[in-house]
């Protein structure tokens, strides 16, 4: 803070000196006597200049500067100067443009030496004081600086960073500018973090001035004094203001909206001005800023460094990339590989030139259009306005620097209550790695929406807020964006390029996705992925989606965008509300999403590219609802009891679960974020609380509280959570996707049979489509909403005065992004202290770097010399048997605080310290241990990492959970660091053995227990003449044909078959007897075909 200064003040001072002292000399040389400077002609200024040259007093200089002041004539509505260069000839320009043109004149006339003779540090300070006193209004007024609509286009040019103008005291302006920006960015970050008021900000600013200037009048004159001055400094250094739109959603035109750029511009549908302000932050300027930042360029091209995973035909057919971890491992990114592959050329779409139409003509439509008789142009007919126009097809090549986005929308309440709603349209850069992208700093707000001002039950209410974004995507895809790329990339040099961008997918919770896609929240056809048919609940307006068994074995056909578009067009054109509602009920959509305009560009599909967010889709929907249903069932099941007894029983069950939850020894990594606690406050739990409650905690809390059916349902849900938030974070294989899909089918069937069809919500059905999203867009953690929800928390916590809060949020976001880019460009190389010979790192960051370079484990922290007694030496010798005890006695031993070992589950779950419990190999047996001390044994020829641990003895297994029960072994041993596998948690067991304290082992970092999709049994829905697999008394399942079935009684009539004695893979009827079996005894359907129509033999397909 002690170096707080401002670039704008530096530039203003320079321009003032140049314009008020040097331009009169230019007037004399060019004989321009007609130009006025604040009421004085150039002849007057020339005369004054000659007087000032012969005089040695500062008063003469001040008089000249006073008369050569800013002009306020009618040429421009704001303060300006009349530039006298050969190009402008007195044209009104801004002071920066005048300074730049004057500088060129100095170089041509060789008068730089005269500048240093006439401009001294003393008169610089005096002239600046005149500027501050005489032009106070110009310095304070912020609105005039924003209005550049009538100023010369070159006015935005700023002084080059490399230029260094001497202030007369040995201080260079470029060095001062660096100090200024660093200090201002730090102070702004402090203000936002501490929620400081503007008065506090200016007080710190004044304190910084006193420390930095140290009574230097030259620096003191340049120092910013107010919040407004600092804002102008940021603007002059690249901080852009947001675009303001005025939106009309008048009920007189319910199917149309108006979006205007000025308050006076009328809506073309109702001739009324827009009543809703929309602050649009946009993408184009951001793309230009990102491209000029080397760090940002490095992040945005991560997909190109991993291009072998998505370039190639094999990555876009069938399952595609074997392990799907990053978003470009999905088949959709590979299908769009031409957009980034420089070896591919493709035809750009076109736009209909008709005013008011602007419909995008796809590349396929252009290719199908006929050529004209002469030339290479084609005659294209617009399918919307039927205009016939001529277009010359343009072919471009892919560029790895092109950008793809992930879009998101969510509404929220900035204050307590629901009286003032707000929402944010956001994007993140899809071409970053998910580790880089899943940070709040990488969430970029496109615009803040005042949802409280939107009309209710209006399908187009969000369209005008998305319209500018869609326009920018269309323009950026077709025309491209001119940028100066800062980073060379694999044969692509840095410099000016045309960069293009696209929207890859859209994410959000179910309600938000329906608002953007214009799908129904519920209703008869609520699924946007398939033709699911709902059933209305009796005495209710809500729908449920039952018959999950039948749906699992005979799924509904998927939706097709080509078939859907015609029906959506009819809905869009229908203004009668009753007819529109009926059409929406039949199709499941309230109209055509505005994002469908991207379909002709590159095939954006609203039936596939609106993904399912598993933050809401698992923890906040099924987990939360089913646990609340369980608590409600406890109360319902005890209704026959007396009031007091019933309440007592409910309290005891809740207390028992809550006490167990409080006894779970969460690891330090899990405690670093939210953990579930205080069961009576589950109404305040967030998604992370419900996730950790479901796995790993809930099974150990509920196994003795639930019935067998209930616990089977809950275990299925816990496995879904474990797969998603455990092994799934490291990539999804095809088997994992099939396992998730079958678990989702099984879960939905059990929900219907255990909880009833009323619990078969659309969010439960959506689980069966998660595997489709994994296939198309890779691992769900690439597009779930955790990072967007954390960004919303930042908006809500921002202090405001409650008025025009969208503008406050927008200004804060622009400053935050500006700070990030400026500070990122100023950050240097990170120092990493690491020793590969010792396998030791001073910090966790250094340890992570070492692990990424292939080391299996690393000691972390300070090393302190220790002395081992004979007993400890014997223990170390047992851990390192190939080193003689006599040699170990001469070793230099140091103790370390912690050990990092990559467990393969999380970037931090491998940090072990004293008191942590883990699984480790002890004498070749996997055992539970508690870490006591960590040592580094230094020998001349080799270094060893040894850990002293206390062991636990396994005494039993918990059958319901498959977890081990252990007790302390009262013995400590030494093991090598490589023997440690992963952390575990030891939960105190209520059922102590012979009065001894025992523990249940919670292995939360284990490998997912289901490896084969065939091990997941989806409850069977019978179909006549199916050859089913029935689990009997034998190890192998029996084969039988379904003759009849009664689903009400859950009974099947089965004719069993046996293997043919001679023919391979052939099954023949065992007898004519028909056996009756329970439907849940069927574990699968055999693969094969009947031989003939009499069902006497079955040919199995292997």
């Amino acid at each position: 803070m002690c170096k707080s200064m401002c670039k704008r003040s530096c530039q203003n001072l320079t321009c003032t000196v140049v314009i008020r002292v040097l331009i009169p000399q230019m007037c004399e040389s060019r004989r321009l006597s007609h130009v006025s400077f604040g009421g004085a002609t150039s002849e007057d200024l020339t005369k004054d200049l000659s007087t000032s040259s012969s005089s040695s007093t500062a008063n003469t200089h001040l008089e000249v500067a006073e008369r050569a002041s800013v002009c306020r004539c009618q040429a421009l509505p704001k303060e300006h100067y009349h530039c006298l260069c050969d190009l402008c000839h007195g044209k009104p320009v801004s002071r920066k443009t005048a300074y730049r043109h004057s500088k060129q004149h100095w170089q041509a006339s060789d008068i730089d030496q005269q500048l240093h003779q006439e401009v001294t540090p003393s008169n610089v300070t005096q002239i600046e004081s005149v500027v501050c006193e005489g032009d106070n209004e110009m310095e304070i007024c912020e609105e005039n600086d924003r209005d550049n609509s009538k100023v010369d286009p070159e006015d935005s040019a700023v002084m080059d960073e490399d230029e260094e103008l001497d202030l007369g005291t040995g201080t260079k302006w470029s060095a001062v500018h660096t100090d200024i920006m660093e200090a201002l960015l730090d102070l702004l970050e402090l203000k936002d973090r501490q929620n400081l008021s503007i008065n506090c900000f200016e007080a710190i600013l004044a304190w910084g001035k006193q420390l930095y200037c140290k009574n230097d009048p030259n620096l003191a004159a340049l120092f910013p004094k107010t919040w407004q001055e600092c804002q102008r400094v940021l603007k002059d250094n690249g901080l852009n203001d947001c675009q303001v739109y005025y939106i009309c959603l008048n009920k007189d035109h319910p199917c149309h909206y108006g979006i205007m750029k000025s308050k006076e511009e009328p809506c073309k549908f109702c001739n009324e001005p827009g009543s809703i302000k929309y602050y649009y932050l946009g993408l184009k300027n951001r793309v230009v800023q990102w491209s000029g930042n080397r760090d940002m360029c490095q992040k945005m091209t991560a997909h190109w460094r991993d291009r072998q995973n998505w370039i190639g035909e094999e990555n876009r057919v069938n399952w595609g990339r074997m392990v799907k971890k990053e978003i470009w491992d999905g088949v959709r990114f590979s299908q769009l590989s031409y957009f980034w592959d420089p070896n591919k050329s493709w035809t750009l779409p076109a736009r209909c030139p008709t005013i008011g139409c602007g419909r995008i003509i796809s590349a396929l439509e252009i290719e199908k259009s006929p050529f004209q008789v002469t030339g290479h142009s084609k005659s294209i007919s617009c399918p919307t306005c039927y205009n016939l126009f001529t277009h010359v097809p343009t072919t471009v090549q892919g560029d790895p620097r092109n950008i793809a986005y992930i879009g998101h929308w969510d509404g929220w309440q900035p204050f307590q209550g629901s009286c003032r709603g707000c929402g944010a349209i956001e994007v993140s850069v899809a071409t970053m790695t998910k580790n880089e992208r899943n940070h709040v700093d990488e969430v970029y707000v496109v615009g803040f929406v005042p949802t409280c001002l939107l009309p209710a039950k209006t399908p187009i209410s969000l369209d005008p807020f998305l319209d500018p974004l869609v326009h920018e995507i269309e323009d950026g895809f077709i025309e491209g964006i001119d940028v100066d790329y800062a980073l060379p990339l694999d044969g692509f040099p840095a410099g000016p390029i045309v960069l293009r961008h696209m929207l890859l997918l859209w994410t959000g919770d179910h309600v938000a996705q329906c608002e953007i896609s214009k799908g129904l929240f519920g209703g008869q056809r609520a699924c946007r992925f398939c033709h699911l048919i709902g059933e209305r609940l009796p005495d209710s307006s809500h729908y449920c989606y039952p018959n999950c068994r039948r749906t699992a074995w005979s799924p509904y056909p998927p939706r097709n965008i080509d078939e859907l578009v015609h029906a959506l067009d009819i809905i869009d054109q229908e203004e009668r509300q009753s007819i529109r509602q009926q059409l929406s009920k039949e199709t499941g959509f309230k109209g055509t999403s505005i994002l469908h305009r991207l379909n002709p560009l590159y095939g954006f599909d609203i039936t596939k590219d609106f993904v399912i967010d598993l933050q809401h889709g698992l923890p906040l929907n099924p987990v939360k609802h089913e646990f609340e249903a369980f608590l409600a069932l406890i109360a319902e099941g005890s209704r026959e009891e007396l009031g007091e007894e019933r309440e007592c029983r409910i309290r005891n069950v809740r207390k028992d679960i809550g006490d167990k939850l409080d006894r779970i020894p969460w690891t330090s990594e899990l405690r670093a974020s939210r953990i579930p606690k205080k069961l009576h406050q589950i109404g305040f739990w967030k998604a992370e609380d419900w996730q950790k409650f479901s796995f790993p905690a809930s099974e150990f809390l509920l196994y003795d509280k639930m019935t067998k059916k209930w616990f089977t349902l809950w275990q299925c849900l816990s496995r879904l959570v474990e797969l998603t938030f455990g092994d799934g974070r490291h990539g999804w294989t095809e088997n994992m996707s099939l396992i998730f899909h079958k678990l989702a089918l099984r879960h939905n069937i059990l929900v219907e049979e255990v909880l009833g069809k009323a619990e078969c919500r659309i969010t439960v059905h959506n689980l069966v489509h998660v595997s489709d999203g994994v296939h198309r867009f890779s691992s769900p953690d690439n597009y779930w909403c955790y990072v967007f929800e954390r960004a919303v928390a930042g908006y809500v916590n921002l202090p405001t005065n409650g008025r025009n809060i969208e503008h406050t949020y927008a200004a804060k976001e622009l400053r935050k992004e500006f700070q990030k880019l400026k500070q990122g460009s100023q950050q240097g190389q990170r120092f990493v202290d690491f020793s590969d010979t010792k396998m030791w790192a001073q910090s966790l960051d250094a340890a992570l770097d070492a692990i990424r370079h292939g080391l299996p484990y690393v000691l972390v922290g300070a090393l302190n010399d220790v002395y081992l007694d004979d007993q400890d030496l014997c223990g170390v010798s047992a851990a390192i048997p190939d080193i003689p005890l006599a040699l170990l006695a001469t070793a230099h031993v140091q103790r370390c605080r912690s050990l990092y070992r990559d467990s393969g589950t999380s970037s931090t779950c491998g940090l072990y310290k004293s008191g942590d419990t883990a699984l480790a190999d002890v004498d070749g047996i996997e055992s539970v241990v508690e870490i006591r001390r960590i040592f580094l044994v230094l020998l001349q020829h080799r270094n060893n990492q040894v850990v002293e641990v206390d062991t636990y003895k396994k005494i039993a297994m918990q059958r319901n959970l498959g977890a081990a029960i252990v007790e302390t072994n009262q013995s400590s041993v030494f093991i090598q660091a490589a023997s440690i596998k992963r952390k575990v948690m030891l939960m105190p067991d209520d059922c102590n053995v012979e009065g001894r304290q025992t523990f249940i082992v919670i292995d939360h970092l284990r490998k997912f227990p289901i490896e084969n999709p065939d091990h997941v049994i989806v409850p069977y829905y019978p179909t006549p003449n199916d050859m089913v697999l029935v689990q009997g008394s034998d190890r192998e399942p029996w084969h039988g044909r379904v003759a009849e079935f009664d689903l009400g009684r859950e009974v099947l009539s089965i004719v069993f078959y046996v293997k043919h004695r001679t023919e391979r893979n052939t099954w023949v009827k065992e007898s004519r007897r028909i056996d009756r079996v329970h439907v849940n005894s069927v574990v699968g359907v055999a693969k094969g075909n009947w031989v003939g129509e009499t069902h006497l033999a079955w040919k199995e397909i292997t």
Side-chain angles (χ1 to χ4, degrees), residues 497-510:
I497 64 167
V498 177
L499 188 147
R500 305 180 192 276
H501 58 180
M502 66 161 60
L503 181 67
L504 183 64
L505 60 91
W506 196 273
T507 187
D509 59 44
H510 177 69

Side-chain angles (χ1 to χ4, degrees), residues 405 580 711 863:
Y405 304 112
R580 189 184 184 98
F711 194 62
L863 295 173

Side-chain angles (χ1 to χ4, degrees), residues 805-1001:
I805 58 175
E806 289 79 19
H807 191 201
T808 303
Y809 294 151
K812 167 64 172 61
E813 282 301 301
L814 290 174
R815 290 199 307 271
K816 184 192 76 173
E817 295 170 20
F818 176 77
Q819 282 179 259
K820 188 191 76 167
L821 292 176
K822 288 293 182 181
Q823 289 176 339
S825 62
Q826 296 167 5
Q827 288 176 353
Q829 182 96 18
R830 181 166 58 108
F831 176 71
V832 175
D833 189 355
F834 169 71
S835 171
D836 55 351
T837 57
K838 295 182 180 180
M839 299 183 73
W840 166 83
Q842 189 173 14
S843 65
L844 180 58
D845 289 336
L848 291 173
D849 287 339
I851 293 294
R852 281 192 287 268
H853 285 82
L855 291 180
Y857 53 88
V858 181
L859 300 181
V860 184
L863 295 173
N864 300 312
D865 294 342
V866 295
Y867 172 76
L868 297 181
D869 57 22
D870 294 340
Q871 184 179 358
D872 290 339
L873 280 175
C874 292
V876 173
S877 178
I880 316 175
D882 55 335
I883 299 179
L885 181 59
L887 183 59
L888 280 176
T890 63
H892 180 202
V893 182
Q894 294 178 307
R895 183 175 177 180
C896 190
R897 180 177 180 181
S898 56
L899 165 73
Y900 184 89
R901 179 169 174 77
D902 188 8
S903 63
T905 303
S906 174
S907 61
T908 57
C909 281
L911 187 65
Y912 301 86
K913 55 185 180 298
S914 178
D916 287 343
T917 52
L919 287 179
D921 283 331
V922 180
D923 296 331
I925 301 174
E926 186 178 77
S927 305
V928 178
V929 300
E930 180 178 343
I931 297 175
R932 291 183 59 187
R933 294 182 293 175
I934 302 172
F935 297 104
L936 174 63
V937 182
L938 300 172
L939 292 170
Q940 202 169 31
H941 64 288
R942 134 188 189 189
N943 301 319
N944 299 272
Q945 295 74 27
V946 179
V947 182
E948 182 185 11
V949 298
D950 290 333
T951 60
Y952 285 79
K953 179 181 177 182
K954 180 179 176 182
I955 59 175
M957 289 290 294
Q958 220 297 331
R959 293 184 179 180
N960 293 324
L961 304 173
I965 299 177
V966 298
E967 64 175 354
T968 55
N969 202 17
Q970 301 296 331
S971 64
S972 62
V973 297
F974 286 83
I975 60 174
Q976 295 189 31
S979 300
I980 296 178
K981 292 186 174 181
R982 59 184 179 272
K983 284 188 178 182
V984 295
M985 298 184 292
L986 299 184
M987 177 180 173
D989 189 13
D990 294 335
C991 303
N992 295 332
V993 179
E994 298 178 358
R996 295 171 297 176
Q997 177 63 61
T998 58
F999 304 88
I1000 299 178
V1001 180

Side-chain angles (χ1 to χ4, degrees), residues 409-414 420-424 447-452 795 805-806 809:
W409 153 255
D410 192 18
W412 31 274
Q413 299 296 331
R420 181 61 169 92
C422 190
F448 290 98
V449 180
T451 55
C452 58
Y795 314 145
I805 58 175
E806 289 79 19
Y809 294 151

Side-chain angles (χ1 to χ4, degrees), residues 99 107 153 171 268 291 298 378 381 406 439 501 517 561 645 660 690 720 766 781 816 964 982:
Y99 164 75
Q107 295 173 348
T171 304
K268 63 181 179 181
S291 302
Q298 182 74 13
K378 288 193 171 188
S381 176
I406 298 173
H439 288 277
H501 58 180
S517 66
I561 185 62
E645 295 177 354
K660 285 186 176 180
W690 286 109
L720 288 170
N766 283 343
D781 59 349
K816 184 192 76 173
R982 59 184 179 272

Side-chain angles (χ1 to χ4, degrees), residues 572-751:
D572 291 335
Q573 298 169 8
E574 182 57 61
E575 295 189 357
R576 294 169 295 181
Q577 187 174 1
S578 59
I579 304 299
R580 189 184 184 98
Q581 288 179 350
Q582 181 62 31
L583 294 174
S584 298
K585 181 179 179 180
E586 295 173 358
T587 60
F589 287 86
K590 295 176 285 188
T592 305
S593 171
I594 192 172
L595 295 186
H596 182 66
R597 281 169 41 183
L598 303 178
N599 182 267
L601 284 178
Y602 51 87
F604 186 89
D605 192 338
I606 61 174
T607 66
K608 297 178 181 178
D609 295 337
F610 281 85
V611 295
I612 297 172
D613 159 45
L614 286 186
Q615 178 202 0
H616 296 87
L618 266 178
L620 287 179
N621 279 311
V623 174
K624 179 181 178 180
H625 291 156
E626 290 171 28
F627 184 68
E628 289 175 345
F630 166 70
L631 295 180
L633 185 66
I634 296 174
E636 184 179 353
S638 55
R639 282 181 179 174
E640 66 279 0
E641 301 176 7
L642 297 177
E644 239 177 79
E645 295 177 354
R646 177 174 169 234
E647 292 299 326
C648 182
R649 181 175 179 274
I650 296 172
R651 283 197 305 269
N652 289 339
V653 172
R654 286 175 173 265
K655 184 178 183 302
D656 190 21
I657 298 174
D659 291 343
K660 285 186 176 180
L661 181 62
D662 294 338
R663 293 205 306 269
I664 293 181
W666 303 98
T667 63
S668 57
E669 290 80 19
L670 293 175
R671 289 197 307 270
S673 55
R674 297 183 64 98
I675 57 173
K677 52 186 178 181
K678 298 182 180 179
L679 190 65
H680 61 280
Q681 295 184 356
I682 60 173
F684 298 96
W685 285 8
K686 304 298 184 182
E688 197 167 3
D689 298 307
W690 286 109
Q691 171 218 318
K692 294 176 182 177
F693 175 78
S694 176
F695 181 83
S698 64
E699 293 173 86
F700 298 89
L701 308 177
L702 304 176
Y703 71 92
D704 57 347
K705 303 292 186 298
M706 290 181 167
T707 63
K708 185 177 180 180
K709 277 192 173 183
W710 253 106
F711 194 62
T712 302
L713 165 63
W714 189 263
Q715 280 188 308
C716 187
L717 187 57
S718 295
R719 296 291 77 74
L720 288 170
V721 174
E722 180 182 1
L723 177 58
T724 303
F725 296 93
D727 284 7
R729 298 296 303 275
H730 302 277
W732 287 61
T733 63
E734 186 173 10
N735 269 356
M736 292 170 65
S737 177
L738 289 174
I739 290 171
F740 187 98
H741 182 66
K742 296 185 74 173
L743 282 172
L745 294 174
R746 177 178 173 82
H747 167 264
N748 293 359
I749 294 171
L750 293 175
V751 165

Side-chain angles (χ1 to χ4, degrees), residues 247-258 267 269-276 453-461 574-577 580:
I247 292 171
C248 177
L249 288 170
N250 198 313
K251 61 181 180 181
D252 294 337
H253 44 86
C255 297
H256 304 281
Y257 61 86
C267 172
F269 298 105
C270 63
N271 208 32
E272 296 290 335
S275 59
I276 304 175
L453 302 179
L454 304 185
K457 298 182 179 180
T458 304
I460 65 165
S461 60
E574 182 57 61
E575 295 189 357
R576 294 169 295 181
Q577 187 174 1
R580 189 184 184 98

